[in-house]
Amino acid sequence: YLTRRWVLQQLIQENSLPSHATKGNLGAAPVERIHRLVQEEMNVCSEAAGRYPSNYNAWSHRIWVLQHLGKLTVKVLLDELSSTKYWVSMHVSDHSGFHYRQFLFKSLIGRTVTDNNVLVQNQMVNEQNPILQKEEESAGAEAAWAEEQSVDLPRHLEEELELCTELIDTYPGHETLWCHSDETLNNSHHSPATGHMAQAMDIDGLNESSSKQGYTQEIKRLKRAPMQDSLGLEMEYRFIDKVLSTCRDANQARFATAYRKWLVTFLGQ
């Protein structure tokens, strides 16, 4: 992987030159070439991860590619969440894939905080200079605002918990799935978008949003709850009770009990 990184770095430097052109890439824009490099490298990482269990080297290289070629943009992060969902569903005992998804969520949260800070700073400048507010809006601030608004973090985190629930039901006795539930819920607790949504959303706004996003009645009720319950902690408790009352797998019961203890500690109760 070190050799591949060196080669990729050389390609990045060459593609950054405006006059660069090769026989195979005539007419292709540098951005397109970089995008193609990212896609090809992701395919290599997926193949390597599928050949060897817990191949952290492959996933670590995938993270490096995101950081140095993909620049951790929101689009790339969301694409990766989508493209790796099937893989982790087929490798429920391999924590390396779930660890990668945790990296994606943390990066999304960090990106949202950064974009939101840029937006706030530009709003403060515009408030101090009313004329500039109308005549000289920053194109960068507009792009950051559009990108930040396109990320519905609470929804993505809810979907990840739903994925964990489905996989735990389908494949009982896999500790990796319970650990990933822990980390996903922990990410939701630290997500600024989650906190803002839980505090600012009233019943009218909720109904309008839910009609567009198709939330269930249960999710609507949880959205009215305090911030710590914004991603359905009550639902998590009910799920644990269901597992403990119906499962016959000793490991599954042990993991469910440990998960409930973690929730109690997590909530400080």
Side-chain angles (χ1 to χ4, degrees), residues 227-263:
M227 183 175 63
Q228 67 179 13
D229 291 333
S230 62
L231 285 186
L233 297 183
E234 289 184 28
M235 191 179 297
E236 291 296 287
Y237 281 120
R238 288 199 296 272
F239 172 67
I240 294 171
D241 291 338
K242 173 189 173 184
V243 169
L244 292 175
S245 63
T246 60
C247 78
R248 298 181 179 179
D249 186 289
N251 286 329
Q252 182 84 321
R254 181 163 59 88
F255 298 147
T257 301
Y259 183 48
R260 182 164 59 185
K261 289 181 179 179
W262 179 86
L263 283 177

Side-chain angles (χ1 to χ4, degrees), residues 23 30 34 59 79 85 97 107 127 159-160 167 171 215 218-219 234 236 241 248 255 264:
K23 293 181 179 180
I34 294 296
W59 293 103
D79 286 346
K85 184 175 181 179
S107 298
E127 289 174 0
E159 289 177 352
E160 196 68 8
L167 293 177
Y171 306 101
Y215 286 151
E218 180 64 13
I219 295 299
E234 289 184 28
E236 291 296 287
D241 291 338
R248 298 181 179 179
F255 298 147
V264 171

Side-chain angles (χ1 to χ4, degrees), residues 62-102:
R62 192 163 185 153
I63 289 175
W64 184 91
V65 173
L66 283 186
Q67 293 172 328
H68 292 81
L69 275 72
K71 303 302 181 183
L72 294 180
T73 64
V74 168
K75 182 182 184 305
V76 169
L77 293 170
L78 292 178
D79 286 346
E80 283 297 283
L81 271 179
S82 177
S83 64
T84 58
K85 184 175 181 179
Y86 177 78
W87 194 96
V88 297
S89 298
M90 295 294 101
H91 300 79
V92 294
S93 294
D94 194 330
H95 187 72
S96 59
F98 289 100
H99 181 268
Y100 179 73
R101 292 180 70 80
Q102 292 163 18

Side-chain angles (χ1 to χ4, degrees), residues 5-264:
R5 292 178 187 180
W6 182 86
V7 173
L8 287 170
Q9 287 174 331
Q10 301 308 307
L11 289 173
I12 292 172
Q13 292 178 3
E14 291 181 10
N15 281 319
S16 65
L17 299 176
S19 60
H20 172 74
T22 63
K23 293 181 179 180
N25 289 323
L26 288 175
V31 174
E32 295 175 353
R33 292 196 293 268
I34 294 296
H35 178 71
R36 184 160 57 247
L37 283 175
V38 171
Q39 293 301 316
E40 291 175 353
E41 205 64 15
M42 291 307 179
N43 292 336
V44 171
C45 292
S46 294
E47 183 176 350
R51 289 187 177 185
Y52 303 100
S54 299
N55 193 342
Y56 281 95
N57 288 330
W59 293 103
S60 295
H61 181 63
R62 192 163 185 153
I63 289 175
W64 184 91
V65 173
L66 283 186
Q67 293 172 328
H68 292 81
L69 275 72
K71 303 302 181 183
L72 294 180
T73 64
V74 168
K75 182 182 184 305
V76 169
L77 293 170
L78 292 178
D79 286 346
E80 283 297 283
L81 271 179
S82 177
S83 64
T84 58
K85 184 175 181 179
Y86 177 78
W87 194 96
V88 297
S89 298
M90 295 294 101
H91 300 79
V92 294
S93 294
D94 194 330
H95 187 72
S96 59
F98 289 100
H99 181 268
Y100 179 73
R101 292 180 70 80
Q102 292 163 18
F103 165 80
L104 296 176
F105 278 116
K106 290 176 182 178
S107 298
L108 275 173
I109 292 172
R111 173 65 69 181
T112 301
V113 171
T114 300
D115 291 346
N116 192 55
N117 287 340
V118 170
L119 177 64
V120 171
Q121 291 173 3
N122 281 278
Q123 286 178 333
M124 292 176 63
V125 171
N126 287 336
E127 289 174 0
Q128 296 173 359
N129 301 275
I131 297 178
L132 294 178
Q133 182 177 0
K134 294 182 179 180
E135 297 181 356
E136 299 181 2
E137 273 191 333
S138 170
E142 290 179 355
W145 168 252
E147 188 174 50
E148 191 271 337
Q149 286 296 301
S150 67
V151 183
D152 189 347
L153 274 175
R155 179 174 64 83
H156 289 295
L157 289 165
E158 286 171 4
E159 289 177 352
E160 196 68 8
L161 284 175
E162 290 172 0
L163 173 64
C164 291
T165 299
E166 180 182 348
L167 293 177
I168 287 171
D169 276 337
T170 306
Y171 306 101
H174 290 274
E175 186 177 13
T176 296
L177 300 173
W178 293 95
C179 291
H180 186 56
S181 294
D182 290 355
E183 189 62 29
T184 301
L185 208 55
N186 188 49
N187 282 331
S188 74
H189 182 69
H190 295 292
S191 167
T194 301
H196 172 77
M197 190 173 191
Q199 292 176 1
M201 185 176 290
D202 56 18
I203 295 178
D204 292 335
L206 174 66
N207 290 334
E208 180 181 357
S209 175
S210 62
S211 65
K212 295 178 180 179
Q213 301 180 16
Y215 286 151
T216 63
Q217 292 298 320
E218 180 64 13
I219 295 299
K220 293 180 186 179
R221 185 187 66 76
L222 289 170
K223 290 296 184 184
R224 300 189 188 99
M227 183 175 63
Q228 67 179 13
D229 291 333
S230 62
L231 285 186
L233 297 183
E234 289 184 28
M235 191 179 297
E236 291 296 287
Y237 281 120
R238 288 199 296 272
F239 172 67
I240 294 171
D241 291 338
K242 173 189 173 184
V243 169
L244 292 175
S245 63
T246 60
C247 78
R248 298 181 179 179
D249 186 289
N251 286 329
Q252 182 84 321
R254 181 163 59 88
F255 298 147
T257 301
Y259 183 48
R260 182 164 59 185
K261 289 181 179 179
W262 179 86
L263 283 177
V264 171

